[in-house]
Amino acid sequence: MQGIIGQVHRLRPAHWAFIGSLLLSWIAVGFEVTIAKDAAFYMDAAQVFVDQGLAATLATFNWPWFSILVGITHALTGLPMETTGYLWCALLMAGTCALLVDMVSSRIPGSGGWACLVVLAMPAFNGFRNDILREFGFWFFSILALWLALRWEARGGWGRGFLISVVVALAALFRLEAVMLMAALCLWLLPGLGTTLGRKRFLQLILLPSLLMAVAVGGLFATDHLPLARIQYYLLLLDPRTMFANFSAAAEQLGSNILQKYSADDAGLILLVGFIATALLKFAKLLGPFCVPFLFRDGWRCLRDYLKGFSALAWAWVLYFGVLLIFFMQQMFINGRYVSFLNLLAVPLAVLAMQALSRRFPRAIRGLVVVAVLVMLGNVISLSAKKTHYIEAGHWLAQHIERTDAIYYEDPRIGYYAGWGYRLPSLTREQAMNDEHFAEFRYFLIEEKADEPWVQKWLARRELKVLAQFANKKNATVLVIGK
């Protein structure tokens, strides 16, 4: 017994973060019944890889490396596909939390407890523990690259410099935008280029990766079997002509359709400032209770220590914000999942700010800690109605309808749970049910209540009926419509 207690006492904050993260993920997954749309897509791609191989998987998804990882693990262990996906995400998330805590506690004395609290409670990334996403791999390998860079800063070495690049490449296998980390690390090293040691470090970081990149690019364009489509998509996003053409079109539409004529000339500025404000507000919101220290001057003073001790992360924050800006200019949307990486990079700043606030308000800080613990639990405990109607509709579909029949289902998870794979509908519900496309389908599975007047009117006009309906506890309903 004493030996076990001794082992517990020897656990470092990073170990506690790893264990705590696994526990939180286990709780979060325990409340889930239906996987999200992206998760279903990745699991379907993994099944395609197991059943049909790499070529078929690349035809399904042009950047499928996370799905391939899940598929290989499933084939080797025999674990169910979704269980394998959840397991990988839990391990990658636990590793991310442990690395962040170790990074912070090694540079900020006495911060281990605060670091554990921040990484386990911040809503930005903890809110996704119940999901299966390739972001977990992107987060883990990105933070691992930055953790290695901070250690390499003190030790140097060609091997360590090359290892950083390898880890960045692994992060890019999950999300290709991880390559911006190399640019961030180069900017981090720029102030030292005036010294011999600084120039040597810079070469240690970029020389071997540059050579390998040249070889990879040559191989990429010499074969048709590599996923060129994804890389071409990213290159198109970076094309200034396309970027500004899309942005100008959106600004023109905003100016002509929404703004008064007196403000139409400022539509581009309004759109740009609106994005920046939205992204920053999402960032602040996703900090959760850890935005409180920044209501005081002490919190903002910590920014100087953050920029000094974690400048590599600060550069990554700036460049990733630029990535979000480019994405917004091209796609005209932004969401919390994409912004959350900014919060990961700001974890050391949040820890510094919490420490500063605890010194100023040693009693009141206890209340904030209680709030943070409640948020931690709120991130993983879901009491909302489960989306069982998708599963039930999918199972009914598999038992009563042939896969070859012309079927329209609004949510692709219905097909996934029928065992027919994940396929996005090519038409919206309104398009599929209108006069032009109605005759193309024999069955319709839509999310609506049967007693809605428009549904009854449409059924009567088309001479169709509700064959089955499935509702969850919140009365969200999937109708199966046919003759």
Side-chain angles (χ1 to χ4, degrees):
M1 188 66 177
Q2 290 181 346
I4 295 175
I5 295 174
Q7 291 291 338
V8 170
H9 282 306
R10 281 196 289 270
L11 290 176
R12 297 165 50 212
H15 299 143
W16 285 114
F18 188 89
I19 295 169
S21 179
L22 288 178
L23 178 61
L24 290 173
S25 294
W26 176 69
I27 294 171
V29 173
F31 280 90
E32 284 304 305
V33 174
T34 309
I35 62 176
K37 290 182 180 180
D38 284 355
F41 175 71
Y42 298 140
M43 295 302 95
D44 179 53
Q47 191 64 57
V48 170
F49 174 75
V50 171
D51 295 340
Q52 303 176 44
L54 179 60
T57 311
L58 289 171
T60 301
F61 180 30
N62 56 24
W63 207 250
W65 314 116
F66 171 59
S67 297
I68 289 173
L69 173 65
V70 173
I72 291 173
T73 308
H74 161 76
L76 292 175
T77 63
L79 290 172
M81 195 71 78
E82 289 182 15
T83 301
T84 306
Y86 278 125
L87 182 60
W88 267 116
C89 290
L91 290 171
L92 291 166
M93 188 62 189
T96 302
C97 291
L99 288 169
L100 281 167
V101 169
D102 186 72
M103 181 191 299
V104 172
S105 60
S106 63
R107 292 198 166 217
I108 307 173
S111 65
W114 290 117
C116 281
L117 181 66
V118 170
V119 300
L120 295 179
M122 189 179 288
F125 38 92
N126 285 287
F128 296 104
R129 289 184 178 276
N130 61 341
D131 212 342
I132 301 173
L133 296 168
R134 57 196 175 110
E135 269 77 9
F136 290 105
F138 166 56
W139 293 341
F140 172 73
F141 286 108
S142 295
I143 296 302
L144 177 59
L146 293 166
W147 179 83
L148 288 169
L150 293 181
R151 292 170 67 88
W152 172 73
E153 182 183 21
R155 304 177 183 180
W158 288 95
R160 294 187 182 95
F162 178 61
L163 182 59
I164 293 169
S165 305
V166 172
V167 173
V168 170
L170 291 173
L173 290 178
F174 290 86
R175 295 203 72 93
L176 192 55
E177 55 265 37
V179 296
M180 65 86 194
L181 289 172
M182 290 304 298
L185 292 173
C186 288
L187 289 170
W188 170 57
L189 294 176
L190 276 182
L193 289 182
T195 66
T196 302
L197 179 60
R199 289 190 292 272
K200 181 180 179 182
R201 289 285 175 83
F202 193 80
L203 284 174
Q204 288 174 352
L205 181 67
I206 69 166
L207 184 58
L208 287 175
S210 298
L211 294 174
L212 291 176
M213 181 65 70
V215 173
V217 169
L220 199 63
F221 289 100
T223 179
D224 295 329
H225 299 290
L226 292 176
L228 284 171
R230 194 70 176 184
I231 295 172
Q232 289 171 345
Y233 166 73
Y234 274 84
L235 291 176
L236 185 63
L237 288 180
L238 294 172
D239 186 345
R241 297 167 298 179
T242 307
M243 188 189 313
F244 288 110
N246 291 344
F247 185 77
S248 297
E252 184 178 349
Q253 186 177 4
L254 175 68
S256 60
N257 296 338
I258 299 175
L259 299 175
Q260 296 290 338
K261 64 179 181 178
Y262 306 106
S263 300
D265 292 340
D266 298 321
L269 180 62
I270 292 170
L271 198 60
L272 180 62
V273 172
F275 161 75
I276 294 172
T278 300
L280 291 176
L281 285 173
K282 281 186 177 291
F283 170 74
K285 178 184 176 182
L286 292 172
L287 286 173
F290 306 110
C291 68
V292 172
F294 298 101
L295 300 176
F296 302 91
R297 187 179 301 174
D298 300 56
W300 288 104
R301 285 175 178 167
C302 296
L303 185 60
R304 180 176 55 191
D305 294 331
Y306 171 71
L307 295 175
K308 181 180 178 181
F310 301 92
S311 56
L313 277 74
W315 276 116
W317 195 100
V318 170
L319 290 190
Y320 187 72
F321 192 90
V323 169
L324 293 179
L325 177 59
I326 291 171
F327 183 82
F328 173 78
M329 293 176 72
Q330 293 281 24
Q331 303 293 331
M332 286 296 136
F333 83 92
I334 193 70
N335 61 28
R337 177 151 56 97
Y338 296 161
V339 173
S340 57
F341 186 59
L342 294 176
N343 295 80
L344 271 173
L345 296 170
V347 162
L349 177 60
V351 173
L352 285 164
M354 287 293 288
Q355 269 194 323
L357 194 67
S358 69
R359 289 192 292 267
R360 182 172 179 179
F361 304 106
R363 292 186 179 179
I365 195 68
R366 298 172 187 172
L368 186 57
V369 170
V370 171
V371 170
V373 172
L374 292 176
V375 170
M376 181 193 304
L377 296 175
N379 290 331
V380 297
I381 296 175
S382 173
L383 301 178
S384 60
K386 310 307 177 190
K387 298 178 180 179
T388 52
H389 50 305
Y390 295 135
I391 301 175
E392 292 168 351
H395 291 171
W396 187 93
L397 200 64
Q399 293 170 8
H400 295 87
I401 297 177
E402 294 295 328
R403 184 173 183 175
T404 54
D405 285 330
I407 308 165
Y408 177 84
Y409 37 84
E410 190 173 359
D411 193 296
R413 284 174 291 183
I414 296 173
Y416 171 80
Y417 282 111
W420 297 349
Y422 183 96
R423 297 295 180 268
L424 286 169
S426 58
L427 302 172
T428 65
R429 181 174 75 177
E430 290 73 20
Q431 291 171 333
M433 299 174 74
N434 67 18
D435 293 337
E436 183 181 355
H437 297 286
F438 160 75
E440 298 175 14
F441 301 100
R442 185 176 178 184
Y443 300 97
F444 296 84
L445 280 80
I446 62 171
E447 297 179 60
E448 195 58 84
K449 294 179 176 61
D451 57 0
E452 286 289 333
W454 78 266
V455 173
Q456 292 297 321
K457 190 179 298 184
W458 185 84
L459 289 172
R461 184 159 63 92
R462 300 296 186 186
E463 298 182 349
L464 298 174
K465 61 182 179 180
V466 175
L467 302 177
Q469 56 182 303
F470 307 94
N472 68 354
K473 291 182 179 179
K474 198 177 178 180
N475 209 27
T477 306
V478 171
L479 301 178
V480 182
I481 297 172
K483 289 187 177 181

